[in-house]
Structures are given as structure tokens and as C-alpha cells.
Short mmCIF file of all heavy atoms in Angstrom, two decimals:
data_model
loop_
_atom_site.label_atom_id
_atom_site.label_comp_id
_atom_site.label_asym_id
_atom_site.label_seq_id
_atom_site.Cartn_x
_atom_site.Cartn_y
_atom_site.Cartn_z
N MET G 28 -27.69 33.71 -12.12
CA MET G 28 -28.45 33.27 -10.97
C MET G 28 -29.01 34.50 -10.29
O MET G 28 -28.39 35.58 -10.24
CB MET G 28 -27.54 32.49 -9.97
CG MET G 28 -28.31 32.06 -8.82
SD MET G 28 -27.70 30.95 -7.59
CE MET G 28 -26.34 30.13 -8.17
N LYS G 29 -30.21 34.32 -9.81
CA LYS G 29 -30.91 35.44 -9.19
C LYS G 29 -30.36 35.65 -7.77
O LYS G 29 -30.06 34.71 -7.05
CB LYS G 29 -32.43 35.13 -9.09
CG LYS G 29 -33.08 34.94 -10.43
CD LYS G 29 -34.48 34.57 -10.27
CE LYS G 29 -35.11 34.30 -11.62
NZ LYS G 29 -36.52 33.87 -11.49
N SER G 30 -30.29 36.90 -7.37
CA SER G 30 -29.89 37.21 -6.02
C SER G 30 -31.11 37.73 -5.24
O SER G 30 -32.08 38.17 -5.81
CB SER G 30 -28.78 38.24 -6.00
OG SER G 30 -29.27 39.44 -6.61
N LEU G 31 -30.98 37.61 -3.94
CA LEU G 31 -32.11 38.09 -3.11
C LEU G 31 -32.15 39.60 -3.13
O LEU G 31 -31.17 40.28 -3.09
CB LEU G 31 -31.95 37.58 -1.66
CG LEU G 31 -32.11 36.09 -1.41
CD1 LEU G 31 -31.75 35.75 0.03
CD2 LEU G 31 -33.54 35.67 -1.70
N PRO G 32 -33.40 40.12 -3.15
CA PRO G 32 -33.55 41.59 -3.12
C PRO G 32 -33.21 42.12 -1.73
O PRO G 32 -33.22 41.35 -0.76
CB PRO G 32 -35.02 41.82 -3.43
CG PRO G 32 -35.70 40.56 -3.10
CD PRO G 32 -34.69 39.46 -3.29
N GLU G 33 -32.87 43.37 -1.64
CA GLU G 33 -32.54 44.01 -0.36
C GLU G 33 -33.76 43.90 0.58
O GLU G 33 -33.55 43.62 1.77
CB GLU G 33 -32.17 45.48 -0.56
CG GLU G 33 -30.95 45.67 -1.40
CD GLU G 33 -29.73 45.91 -0.62
OE1 GLU G 33 -29.85 46.29 0.56
OE2 GLU G 33 -28.62 45.69 -1.13
N THR G 34 -34.93 44.12 0.08
CA THR G 34 -36.16 44.02 0.91
C THR G 34 -37.13 43.10 0.22
O THR G 34 -37.19 43.03 -1.02
CB THR G 34 -36.78 45.41 1.15
OG1 THR G 34 -37.13 45.95 -0.13
CG2 THR G 34 -35.84 46.36 1.88
N LEU G 35 -37.91 42.43 1.00
CA LEU G 35 -38.95 41.59 0.44
C LEU G 35 -40.27 42.31 0.40
O LEU G 35 -40.57 43.11 1.23
CB LEU G 35 -39.09 40.31 1.34
CG LEU G 35 -37.90 39.37 1.36
CD1 LEU G 35 -38.11 38.28 2.40
CD2 LEU G 35 -37.67 38.78 0.00
N PRO G 36 -41.09 41.99 -0.63
CA PRO G 36 -42.40 42.63 -0.70
C PRO G 36 -43.32 42.13 0.43
O PRO G 36 -43.16 41.03 0.93
CB PRO G 36 -42.94 42.20 -2.07
CG PRO G 36 -42.11 41.02 -2.49
CD PRO G 36 -40.84 41.06 -1.73
N ASP G 37 -44.28 42.95 0.76
CA ASP G 37 -45.24 42.59 1.82
C ASP G 37 -46.41 41.79 1.26
O ASP G 37 -47.09 41.08 2.01
CB ASP G 37 -45.80 43.85 2.46
CG ASP G 37 -44.74 44.57 3.28
OD1 ASP G 37 -43.84 43.88 3.83
OD2 ASP G 37 -44.76 45.82 3.34
N GLU G 38 -46.63 41.87 -0.05
CA GLU G 38 -47.78 41.15 -0.62
C GLU G 38 -47.53 39.67 -0.76
O GLU G 38 -46.47 39.22 -1.20
CB GLU G 38 -48.12 41.73 -2.05
CG GLU G 38 -48.40 43.20 -2.09
CD GLU G 38 -47.13 44.02 -2.19
OE1 GLU G 38 -46.16 43.54 -2.78
OE2 GLU G 38 -47.11 45.12 -1.61
N THR G 39 -48.51 38.89 -0.40
CA THR G 39 -48.39 37.43 -0.45
C THR G 39 -48.21 36.94 -1.87
O THR G 39 -47.37 36.06 -2.10
CB THR G 39 -49.64 36.75 0.18
OG1 THR G 39 -49.84 37.28 1.50
CG2 THR G 39 -49.52 35.25 0.23
N ASN G 40 -48.93 37.49 -2.79
CA ASN G 40 -48.84 37.05 -4.18
C ASN G 40 -47.41 37.30 -4.74
O ASN G 40 -46.86 36.44 -5.45
CB ASN G 40 -49.84 37.80 -5.07
CG ASN G 40 -51.25 37.31 -4.78
OD1 ASN G 40 -51.47 36.25 -4.26
ND2 ASN G 40 -52.25 38.16 -5.15
N ALA G 41 -46.84 38.44 -4.41
CA ALA G 41 -45.49 38.73 -4.87
C ALA G 41 -44.47 37.73 -4.25
O ALA G 41 -43.55 37.27 -4.93
CB ALA G 41 -45.10 40.14 -4.54
N LEU G 42 -44.65 37.45 -2.97
CA LEU G 42 -43.77 36.51 -2.32
C LEU G 42 -43.88 35.09 -2.90
O LEU G 42 -42.91 34.40 -3.13
CB LEU G 42 -44.06 36.45 -0.80
CG LEU G 42 -43.63 37.69 -0.01
CD1 LEU G 42 -44.20 37.67 1.43
CD2 LEU G 42 -42.11 37.81 0.03
N GLN G 43 -45.14 34.67 -3.15
CA GLN G 43 -45.36 33.37 -3.78
C GLN G 43 -44.73 33.30 -5.15
O GLN G 43 -44.12 32.25 -5.52
CB GLN G 43 -46.87 33.09 -3.87
CG GLN G 43 -47.49 32.78 -2.55
CD GLN G 43 -49.01 32.59 -2.63
OE1 GLN G 43 -49.65 33.04 -3.60
NE2 GLN G 43 -49.59 31.94 -1.64
N LYS G 44 -44.82 34.37 -5.93
CA LYS G 44 -44.17 34.36 -7.24
C LYS G 44 -42.66 34.25 -7.09
O LYS G 44 -42.02 33.54 -7.89
CB LYS G 44 -44.56 35.68 -8.01
CG LYS G 44 -43.94 35.66 -9.41
CD LYS G 44 -44.26 36.92 -10.16
CE LYS G 44 -43.68 36.97 -11.55
NZ LYS G 44 -42.44 36.37 -11.82
N MET G 45 -42.09 34.97 -6.15
CA MET G 45 -40.64 34.87 -5.91
C MET G 45 -40.24 33.43 -5.57
O MET G 45 -39.24 32.93 -6.07
CB MET G 45 -40.23 35.82 -4.80
CG MET G 45 -40.18 37.29 -5.19
SD MET G 45 -39.70 38.33 -3.81
CE MET G 45 -37.97 37.86 -3.64
N VAL G 46 -41.01 32.80 -4.70
CA VAL G 46 -40.70 31.42 -4.27
C VAL G 46 -40.76 30.52 -5.51
O VAL G 46 -39.90 29.65 -5.72
CB VAL G 46 -41.67 30.94 -3.19
CG1 VAL G 46 -41.55 29.46 -2.95
CG2 VAL G 46 -41.38 31.71 -1.90
N LEU G 47 -41.79 30.65 -6.31
CA LEU G 47 -41.92 29.82 -7.51
C LEU G 47 -40.77 30.08 -8.50
O LEU G 47 -40.26 29.14 -9.09
CB LEU G 47 -43.27 30.11 -8.23
CG LEU G 47 -44.49 29.60 -7.46
CD1 LEU G 47 -45.79 30.04 -8.17
CD2 LEU G 47 -44.46 28.08 -7.27
N ASP G 48 -40.38 31.34 -8.62
CA ASP G 48 -39.21 31.65 -9.52
C ASP G 48 -37.95 31.00 -8.99
O ASP G 48 -37.17 30.41 -9.74
CB ASP G 48 -39.01 33.14 -9.62
CG ASP G 48 -40.11 33.81 -10.45
OD1 ASP G 48 -40.82 33.11 -11.18
OD2 ASP G 48 -40.20 35.08 -10.37
N TYR G 49 -37.72 31.08 -7.67
CA TYR G 49 -36.50 30.46 -7.10
C TYR G 49 -36.60 28.96 -7.20
O TYR G 49 -35.54 28.30 -7.46
CB TYR G 49 -36.32 30.94 -5.65
CG TYR G 49 -35.77 32.34 -5.56
CD1 TYR G 49 -36.52 33.35 -4.96
CD2 TYR G 49 -34.51 32.64 -6.07
CE1 TYR G 49 -35.99 34.63 -4.90
CE2 TYR G 49 -34.00 33.94 -5.97
CZ TYR G 49 -34.74 34.92 -5.39
OH TYR G 49 -34.22 36.18 -5.33
N GLN G 50 -37.75 28.37 -7.02
CA GLN G 50 -37.88 26.92 -7.16
C GLN G 50 -37.59 26.48 -8.59
O GLN G 50 -36.97 25.45 -8.82
CB GLN G 50 -39.28 26.49 -6.72
CG GLN G 50 -39.42 24.96 -6.72
CD GLN G 50 -38.44 24.26 -5.80
OE1 GLN G 50 -38.36 24.61 -4.65
NE2 GLN G 50 -37.71 23.29 -6.28
N SER G 51 -38.03 27.28 -9.56
CA SER G 51 -37.73 26.96 -10.95
C SER G 51 -36.23 27.02 -11.22
O SER G 51 -35.65 26.16 -11.89
CB SER G 51 -38.41 27.95 -11.85
OG SER G 51 -38.08 27.78 -13.18
N THR G 52 -35.57 28.02 -10.63
CA THR G 52 -34.09 28.15 -10.75
C THR G 52 -33.42 26.90 -10.13
O THR G 52 -32.50 26.34 -10.67
CB THR G 52 -33.60 29.44 -10.14
OG1 THR G 52 -34.25 30.54 -10.76
CG2 THR G 52 -32.07 29.54 -10.21
N VAL G 53 -33.86 26.51 -8.95
CA VAL G 53 -33.31 25.34 -8.27
C VAL G 53 -33.48 24.12 -9.11
O VAL G 53 -32.55 23.30 -9.28
CB VAL G 53 -33.94 25.18 -6.86
CG1 VAL G 53 -33.58 23.80 -6.28
CG2 VAL G 53 -33.49 26.28 -5.94
N ASP G 54 -34.67 23.93 -9.69
CA ASP G 54 -34.95 22.75 -10.53
C ASP G 54 -34.02 22.72 -11.74
O ASP G 54 -33.46 21.68 -12.11
CB ASP G 54 -36.40 22.77 -11.02
CG ASP G 54 -37.39 22.53 -9.87
OD1 ASP G 54 -36.96 22.01 -8.80
OD2 ASP G 54 -38.60 22.82 -10.06
N GLN G 55 -33.84 23.89 -12.38
CA GLN G 55 -32.93 23.96 -13.53
C GLN G 55 -31.50 23.64 -13.16
O GLN G 55 -30.78 22.93 -13.86
CB GLN G 55 -32.97 25.36 -14.17
CG GLN G 55 -34.30 25.65 -14.84
CD GLN G 55 -34.39 27.13 -15.27
OE1 GLN G 55 -33.46 27.88 -15.13
NE2 GLN G 55 -35.56 27.51 -15.78
N LEU G 56 -31.07 24.15 -12.03
CA LEU G 56 -29.66 23.87 -11.59
C LEU G 56 -29.49 22.42 -11.19
O LEU G 56 -28.42 21.83 -11.43
CB LEU G 56 -29.33 24.80 -10.38
CG LEU G 56 -29.15 26.26 -10.73
CD1 LEU G 56 -28.98 27.09 -9.44
CD2 LEU G 56 -27.99 26.49 -11.66
N GLN G 57 -30.54 21.79 -10.63
CA GLN G 57 -30.43 20.36 -10.31
C GLN G 57 -30.32 19.55 -11.57
O GLN G 57 -29.56 18.53 -11.62
CB GLN G 57 -31.64 19.92 -9.45
CG GLN G 57 -31.55 20.42 -8.04
CD GLN G 57 -32.80 20.06 -7.21
OE1 GLN G 57 -33.87 19.92 -7.75
NE2 GLN G 57 -32.61 19.87 -5.92
N GLU G 58 -31.04 19.92 -12.62
CA GLU G 58 -30.95 19.20 -13.88
C GLU G 58 -29.56 19.35 -14.51
O GLU G 58 -29.00 18.41 -15.02
CB GLU G 58 -32.03 19.73 -14.86
CG GLU G 58 -33.43 19.21 -14.57
CD GLU G 58 -33.54 17.71 -14.70
OE1 GLU G 58 -33.01 17.14 -15.69
OE2 GLU G 58 -34.14 17.10 -13.82
N LYS G 59 -29.01 20.57 -14.43
CA LYS G 59 -27.66 20.79 -14.93
C LYS G 59 -26.65 19.97 -14.13
O LYS G 59 -25.74 19.35 -14.74
CB LYS G 59 -27.27 22.27 -14.83
CG LYS G 59 -27.73 23.14 -15.98
CD LYS G 59 -27.16 24.53 -15.79
CE LYS G 59 -27.63 25.40 -16.95
NZ LYS G 59 -27.04 26.74 -16.88
N LEU G 60 -26.80 19.93 -12.84
CA LEU G 60 -25.87 19.14 -11.99
C LEU G 60 -26.00 17.68 -12.32
O LEU G 60 -24.94 16.99 -12.46
CB LEU G 60 -26.21 19.37 -10.51
CG LEU G 60 -25.38 18.57 -9.54
CD1 LEU G 60 -23.95 18.91 -9.65
CD2 LEU G 60 -25.90 18.80 -8.12
N LYS G 61 -27.17 17.16 -12.55
CA LYS G 61 -27.36 15.78 -12.90
C LYS G 61 -26.66 15.46 -14.23
O LYS G 61 -25.99 14.47 -14.37
CB LYS G 61 -28.85 15.46 -13.01
CG LYS G 61 -29.15 14.06 -13.39
CD LYS G 61 -30.67 13.81 -13.41
CE LYS G 61 -30.96 12.39 -13.94
NZ LYS G 61 -32.39 12.18 -14.07
N TRP G 62 -26.81 16.36 -15.21
CA TRP G 62 -26.16 16.19 -16.50
C TRP G 62 -24.62 16.19 -16.35
O TRP G 62 -23.93 15.34 -16.92
CB TRP G 62 -26.60 17.29 -17.48
CG TRP G 62 -26.01 17.09 -18.83
CD1 TRP G 62 -26.52 16.32 -19.85
CD2 TRP G 62 -24.84 17.68 -19.36
NE1 TRP G 62 -25.73 16.40 -20.96
CE2 TRP G 62 -24.66 17.22 -20.71
CE3 TRP G 62 -23.87 18.57 -18.84
CZ2 TRP G 62 -23.59 17.61 -21.50
CZ3 TRP G 62 -22.82 18.95 -19.66
CH2 TRP G 62 -22.70 18.48 -20.95
N TYR G 63 -24.07 17.11 -15.58
CA TYR G 63 -22.65 17.17 -15.37
C TYR G 63 -22.11 15.95 -14.63
O TYR G 63 -21.06 15.44 -14.92
CB TYR G 63 -22.23 18.43 -14.62
CG TYR G 63 -22.19 19.65 -15.51
CD1 TYR G 63 -23.06 20.71 -15.33
CD2 TYR G 63 -21.28 19.77 -16.55
CE1 TYR G 63 -23.05 21.84 -16.14
CE2 TYR G 63 -21.26 20.83 -17.41
CZ TYR G 63 -22.17 21.90 -17.17
OH TYR G 63 -22.15 22.99 -17.99
N GLU G 64 -22.89 15.45 -13.67
CA GLU G 64 -22.49 14.22 -12.97
C GLU G 64 -22.45 13.03 -13.93
O GLU G 64 -21.57 12.19 -13.84
CB GLU G 64 -23.44 13.96 -11.77
CG GLU G 64 -23.23 14.92 -10.63
CD GLU G 64 -24.24 14.75 -9.53
OE1 GLU G 64 -25.39 14.25 -9.76
OE2 GLU G 64 -23.96 15.18 -8.39
N GLU G 65 -23.47 12.95 -14.77
CA GLU G 65 -23.49 11.87 -15.76
C GLU G 65 -22.36 11.99 -16.73
O GLU G 65 -21.70 10.95 -17.06
CB GLU G 65 -24.81 11.89 -16.55
CG GLU G 65 -26.01 11.48 -15.70
CD GLU G 65 -27.36 11.67 -16.38
OE1 GLU G 65 -27.35 12.32 -17.50
OE2 GLU G 65 -28.36 11.30 -15.83
N GLN G 66 -22.01 13.18 -17.15
CA GLN G 66 -20.85 13.36 -18.03
C GLN G 66 -19.55 12.97 -17.37
O GLN G 66 -18.69 12.33 -17.92
CB GLN G 66 -20.79 14.80 -18.52
CG GLN G 66 -21.90 15.23 -19.44
CD GLN G 66 -21.96 14.38 -20.68
OE1 GLN G 66 -21.00 14.24 -21.37
NE2 GLN G 66 -23.12 13.82 -20.99
N PHE G 67 -19.42 13.35 -16.09
CA PHE G 67 -18.22 12.99 -15.33
C PHE G 67 -18.08 11.47 -15.22
O PHE G 67 -16.99 10.95 -15.43
CB PHE G 67 -18.33 13.61 -13.92
CG PHE G 67 -17.18 13.28 -13.03
CD1 PHE G 67 -15.94 13.85 -13.23
CD2 PHE G 67 -17.31 12.33 -12.03
CE1 PHE G 67 -14.87 13.55 -12.41
CE2 PHE G 67 -16.24 12.00 -11.21
CZ PHE G 67 -15.04 12.60 -11.41
N CYS G 68 -19.18 10.77 -14.89
CA CYS G 68 -19.13 9.33 -14.79
C CYS G 68 -18.76 8.70 -16.14
O CYS G 68 -17.97 7.76 -16.23
CB CYS G 68 -20.48 8.76 -14.30
SG CYS G 68 -20.78 9.10 -12.56
N LEU G 69 -19.32 9.21 -17.21
CA LEU G 69 -19.02 8.72 -18.53
C LEU G 69 -17.57 8.89 -18.87
O LEU G 69 -16.89 7.97 -19.32
CB LEU G 69 -19.89 9.44 -19.57
CG LEU G 69 -19.66 9.08 -21.05
CD1 LEU G 69 -19.97 7.62 -21.30
CD2 LEU G 69 -20.44 9.99 -21.97
N PHE G 70 -17.00 10.07 -18.59
CA PHE G 70 -15.57 10.31 -18.91
C PHE G 70 -14.70 9.47 -17.99
O PHE G 70 -13.63 8.99 -18.44
CB PHE G 70 -15.25 11.78 -18.75
CG PHE G 70 -15.86 12.66 -19.82
CD1 PHE G 70 -16.53 13.84 -19.46
CD2 PHE G 70 -15.78 12.27 -21.14
CE1 PHE G 70 -17.09 14.64 -20.42
CE2 PHE G 70 -16.36 13.09 -22.12
CZ PHE G 70 -17.01 14.27 -21.75
N GLN G 71 -15.07 9.31 -16.72
CA GLN G 71 -14.29 8.44 -15.86
C GLN G 71 -14.28 6.99 -16.38
O GLN G 71 -13.24 6.36 -16.38
CB GLN G 71 -14.88 8.47 -14.44
CG GLN G 71 -14.68 9.71 -13.69
CD GLN G 71 -13.26 9.94 -13.29
OE1 GLN G 71 -12.44 10.46 -14.07
NE2 GLN G 71 -12.91 9.54 -12.11
N HIS G 72 -15.42 6.52 -16.84
CA HIS G 72 -15.48 5.19 -17.36
C HIS G 72 -14.64 5.04 -18.64
O HIS G 72 -13.95 4.07 -18.84
CB HIS G 72 -16.91 4.76 -17.65
CG HIS G 72 -17.05 3.40 -18.22
ND1 HIS G 72 -16.85 2.29 -17.47
CD2 HIS G 72 -17.34 2.98 -19.47
CE1 HIS G 72 -16.97 1.22 -18.23
NE2 HIS G 72 -17.31 1.62 -19.44
N GLN G 73 -14.75 6.07 -19.48
CA GLN G 73 -13.94 6.05 -20.72
C GLN G 73 -12.41 6.09 -20.41
O GLN G 73 -11.65 5.47 -21.08
CB GLN G 73 -14.31 7.24 -21.62
CG GLN G 73 -15.63 7.11 -22.28
CD GLN G 73 -16.04 8.36 -23.03
OE1 GLN G 73 -15.40 9.42 -22.91
NE2 GLN G 73 -17.04 8.23 -23.91
N ARG G 74 -12.07 6.81 -19.39
CA ARG G 74 -10.65 6.97 -19.05
C ARG G 74 -10.11 5.76 -18.29
O ARG G 74 -9.00 5.30 -18.57
CB ARG G 74 -10.47 8.24 -18.25
CG ARG G 74 -9.02 8.51 -17.93
CD ARG G 74 -8.85 9.82 -17.30
NE ARG G 74 -7.42 10.04 -17.00
CZ ARG G 74 -7.00 11.00 -16.22
NH1 ARG G 74 -7.83 11.86 -15.67
NH2 ARG G 74 -5.72 11.14 -15.99
N PHE G 75 -10.87 5.26 -17.33
CA PHE G 75 -10.38 4.21 -16.43
C PHE G 75 -11.05 2.87 -16.63
O PHE G 75 -10.65 1.89 -16.00
CB PHE G 75 -10.49 4.63 -15.00
CG PHE G 75 -9.74 5.90 -14.68
CD1 PHE G 75 -10.37 7.09 -14.37
CD2 PHE G 75 -8.36 5.90 -14.69
CE1 PHE G 75 -9.70 8.25 -14.08
CE2 PHE G 75 -7.65 7.06 -14.40
CZ PHE G 75 -8.31 8.21 -14.08
N GLY G 76 -12.11 2.82 -17.42
CA GLY G 76 -12.83 1.58 -17.59
C GLY G 76 -12.11 0.58 -18.50
O GLY G 76 -10.96 0.83 -18.89
N ALA G 77 -12.72 -0.48 -18.77
CA ALA G 77 -12.16 -1.53 -19.62
C ALA G 77 -11.83 -0.94 -20.99
O ALA G 77 -12.62 -0.21 -21.60
CB ALA G 77 -13.11 -2.67 -19.76
N SER G 78 -10.68 -1.27 -21.48
CA SER G 78 -10.21 -0.71 -22.75
C SER G 78 -10.81 -1.51 -23.92
O SER G 78 -10.96 -2.71 -23.87
CB SER G 78 -8.71 -0.76 -22.86
OG SER G 78 -8.24 -0.39 -24.12
N SER G 79 -11.14 -0.81 -24.95
CA SER G 79 -11.63 -1.50 -26.15
C SER G 79 -10.52 -2.06 -27.02
O SER G 79 -10.74 -2.67 -28.04
CB SER G 79 -12.52 -0.54 -26.95
OG SER G 79 -11.71 0.56 -27.40
N GLU G 80 -9.27 -1.72 -26.64
CA GLU G 80 -8.10 -2.15 -27.42
C GLU G 80 -7.53 -3.49 -26.94
O GLU G 80 -6.41 -3.84 -27.26
CB GLU G 80 -7.06 -1.09 -27.36
CG GLU G 80 -7.50 0.22 -27.99
CD GLU G 80 -6.47 1.31 -27.88
OE1 GLU G 80 -5.32 0.98 -27.55
OE2 GLU G 80 -6.79 2.46 -28.13
N LYS G 81 -8.30 -4.22 -26.19
CA LYS G 81 -7.80 -5.50 -25.66
C LYS G 81 -7.61 -6.48 -26.82
O LYS G 81 -8.44 -6.57 -27.70
CB LYS G 81 -8.75 -6.09 -24.64
CG LYS G 81 -8.72 -5.38 -23.30
CD LYS G 81 -9.58 -6.07 -22.34
CE LYS G 81 -9.51 -5.34 -21.01
NZ LYS G 81 -10.45 -5.86 -20.03
N CYS G 82 -6.58 -7.22 -26.73
CA CYS G 82 -6.26 -8.22 -27.71
C CYS G 82 -6.47 -9.61 -27.01
O CYS G 82 -6.06 -9.80 -25.89
CB CYS G 82 -4.80 -8.11 -28.12
SG CYS G 82 -4.26 -9.40 -29.22
N PRO G 83 -7.16 -10.49 -27.68
CA PRO G 83 -7.45 -11.80 -27.06
C PRO G 83 -6.18 -12.58 -26.72
O PRO G 83 -6.18 -13.43 -25.84
CB PRO G 83 -8.26 -12.58 -28.11
CG PRO G 83 -8.40 -11.71 -29.27
CD PRO G 83 -7.73 -10.41 -29.04
N ASP G 84 -5.04 -12.24 -27.35
CA ASP G 84 -3.80 -13.00 -27.08
C ASP G 84 -2.88 -12.25 -26.08
O ASP G 84 -1.75 -12.68 -25.91
CB ASP G 84 -3.04 -13.16 -28.39
CG ASP G 84 -3.82 -14.03 -29.37
OD1 ASP G 84 -4.55 -14.95 -28.93
OD2 ASP G 84 -3.73 -13.78 -30.61
N GLN G 85 -3.39 -11.25 -25.36
CA GLN G 85 -2.55 -10.54 -24.42
C GLN G 85 -1.98 -11.43 -23.35
O GLN G 85 -0.86 -11.30 -22.95
CB GLN G 85 -3.30 -9.36 -23.80
CG GLN G 85 -3.36 -8.15 -24.66
CD GLN G 85 -4.11 -7.01 -23.98
OE1 GLN G 85 -4.89 -7.22 -23.10
NE2 GLN G 85 -3.78 -5.79 -24.40
N MET G 86 -2.79 -12.31 -22.81
CA MET G 86 -2.34 -13.19 -21.72
C MET G 86 -1.23 -14.09 -22.22
O MET G 86 -0.33 -14.45 -21.47
CB MET G 86 -3.52 -13.99 -21.13
CG MET G 86 -4.49 -13.17 -20.36
SD MET G 86 -3.74 -12.11 -19.09
CE MET G 86 -3.12 -13.34 -17.98
N GLU G 87 -1.27 -14.45 -23.47
CA GLU G 87 -0.23 -15.30 -24.03
C GLU G 87 1.13 -14.56 -24.03
O GLU G 87 2.19 -15.17 -23.77
CB GLU G 87 -0.61 -15.71 -25.49
CG GLU G 87 0.33 -16.70 -26.11
CD GLU G 87 0.28 -18.07 -25.40
OE1 GLU G 87 -0.76 -18.45 -24.84
OE2 GLU G 87 1.33 -18.74 -25.37
N LEU G 88 1.08 -13.27 -24.23
CA LEU G 88 2.33 -12.51 -24.20
C LEU G 88 2.95 -12.56 -22.81
O LEU G 88 4.15 -12.71 -22.67
CB LEU G 88 2.05 -11.03 -24.57
CG LEU G 88 1.64 -10.75 -26.00
CD1 LEU G 88 1.23 -9.29 -26.14
CD2 LEU G 88 2.73 -11.11 -26.94
N PHE G 89 2.12 -12.45 -21.77
CA PHE G 89 2.64 -12.51 -20.43
C PHE G 89 3.20 -13.88 -20.11
O PHE G 89 4.22 -14.07 -19.39
CB PHE G 89 1.59 -12.11 -19.38
CG PHE G 89 1.27 -10.63 -19.42
CD1 PHE G 89 0.09 -10.16 -19.97
CD2 PHE G 89 2.18 -9.71 -18.95
CE1 PHE G 89 -0.18 -8.82 -20.03
CE2 PHE G 89 1.95 -8.36 -19.00
CZ PHE G 89 0.76 -7.92 -19.54
N ARG G 90 2.52 -14.90 -20.57
CA ARG G 90 3.01 -16.33 -20.36
C ARG G 90 4.36 -16.48 -21.01
O ARG G 90 5.30 -17.05 -20.42
CB ARG G 90 2.02 -17.30 -20.92
CG ARG G 90 0.84 -17.50 -20.02
CD ARG G 90 -0.01 -18.69 -20.46
NE ARG G 90 -1.38 -18.45 -20.06
CZ ARG G 90 -2.39 -18.16 -20.86
NH1 ARG G 90 -2.20 -18.18 -22.18
NH2 ARG G 90 -3.57 -17.91 -20.43
N ASN G 91 4.52 -15.96 -22.23
CA ASN G 91 5.79 -16.06 -22.95
C ASN G 91 6.93 -15.35 -22.22
O ASN G 91 8.04 -15.87 -22.09
CB ASN G 91 5.66 -15.52 -24.37
CG ASN G 91 4.81 -16.40 -25.27
OD1 ASN G 91 4.58 -17.57 -24.95
ND2 ASN G 91 4.32 -15.86 -26.34
N VAL G 92 6.66 -14.15 -21.66
CA VAL G 92 7.65 -13.42 -20.96
C VAL G 92 8.04 -14.22 -19.69
O VAL G 92 9.20 -14.31 -19.30
CB VAL G 92 7.16 -12.00 -20.61
CG1 VAL G 92 8.11 -11.31 -19.61
CG2 VAL G 92 7.01 -11.18 -21.85
N HIS G 93 7.05 -14.72 -19.02
CA HIS G 93 7.28 -15.51 -17.81
C HIS G 93 8.15 -16.77 -18.12
O HIS G 93 9.08 -17.07 -17.40
CB HIS G 93 5.97 -15.90 -17.13
CG HIS G 93 6.16 -16.69 -15.86
ND1 HIS G 93 6.70 -16.07 -14.73
CD2 HIS G 93 5.93 -17.96 -15.55
CE1 HIS G 93 6.75 -16.97 -13.77
NE2 HIS G 93 6.30 -18.12 -14.26
N GLU G 94 7.88 -17.40 -19.18
CA GLU G 94 8.64 -18.63 -19.58
C GLU G 94 10.08 -18.26 -19.92
O GLU G 94 11.01 -18.99 -19.57
CB GLU G 94 7.98 -19.30 -20.78
CG GLU G 94 6.65 -19.99 -20.43
CD GLU G 94 5.92 -20.49 -21.68
OE1 GLU G 94 6.45 -20.36 -22.78
OE2 GLU G 94 4.79 -21.01 -21.48
N ILE G 95 10.30 -17.13 -20.58
CA ILE G 95 11.62 -16.68 -20.94
C ILE G 95 12.42 -16.34 -19.71
O ILE G 95 13.63 -16.68 -19.64
CB ILE G 95 11.52 -15.47 -21.93
CG1 ILE G 95 10.94 -15.94 -23.24
CG2 ILE G 95 12.91 -14.87 -22.13
CD1 ILE G 95 10.63 -14.80 -24.18
N THR G 96 11.85 -15.66 -18.75
CA THR G 96 12.57 -15.23 -17.57
C THR G 96 12.74 -16.35 -16.54
O THR G 96 13.56 -16.23 -15.63
CB THR G 96 11.88 -14.05 -16.92
OG1 THR G 96 10.56 -14.38 -16.52
CG2 THR G 96 11.92 -12.86 -17.83
N SER G 97 12.02 -17.44 -16.65
CA SER G 97 12.10 -18.49 -15.69
C SER G 97 13.21 -19.48 -15.99
O SER G 97 13.69 -19.69 -17.00
CB SER G 97 10.78 -19.28 -15.60
OG SER G 97 9.79 -18.47 -15.18
#
């Protein structure tokens, strides 16, 4: 990441170039942040979302346990 120089140039063109360079850096970092946020959401969904290992007869197991204990 770019750091600010100790002194700023007096020329308008040089200042405009610096602003454009910093804006480009900001845009790149925003894109990276967006990608990381999407990855985080994807991993959260994979970890805590609906499981693909569901068995259609799972509820029957709970009914059987309930019948046995009742």
C-alpha cells in the first residue's frame, strides 16, 4: 500500500496524478474486500447452512425414539 509522502508537490498535474493513483488503489482494495466478503459468506453458508447429508427418513428416527421413550 502506498504511503503519503512527507511533502506534497506544488504542481497541479502531479497532485492530480497522485489522487488518481490513490483512487486506483482504493478501487483495487474495495474489489479485494468484496471478494473476501463473498468468500466469508460462502464459507459461513457451507459451515452453518443446510446440510447436503440430510436423509429423507431422519424425522422417522425421531418419531421412533419418541415412541420408545413414551
Side-chain angles (χ1 to χ4, degrees):
M28 181 171 343
K29 299 176 185 178
S30 60
L31 289 173
E33 298 262 337
T34 59
L35 294 173
D37 292 328
E38 302 85 32
T39 305
N40 289 339
L42 289 170
Q43 287 176 339
K44 183 182 180 327
M45 286 179 69
V46 169
L47 291 174
D48 288 344
Y49 283 116
Q50 185 60 51
S51 174
T52 301
V53 168
D54 292 342
Q55 291 171 6
L56 290 173
Q57 285 176 332
E58 285 296 316
K59 277 186 179 181
L60 177 61
K61 181 179 175 183
W62 183 85
Y63 281 115
E64 287 173 337
E65 289 171 354
Q66 293 300 307
F67 178 75
C68 288
L69 177 64
F70 291 134
Q71 289 289 85
H72 180 72
Q73 287 174 346
R74 184 172 179 192
F75 300 111
S78 174
S79 62
E80 298 178 12
K81 286 185 179 175
C82 174
D84 297 328
Q85 278 182 336
M86 291 308 294
E87 188 65 31
L88 293 173
F89 289 107
R90 283 190 208 109
N91 291 341
V92 170
H93 181 69
E94 289 171 3
I95 293 170
T96 59
S97 297

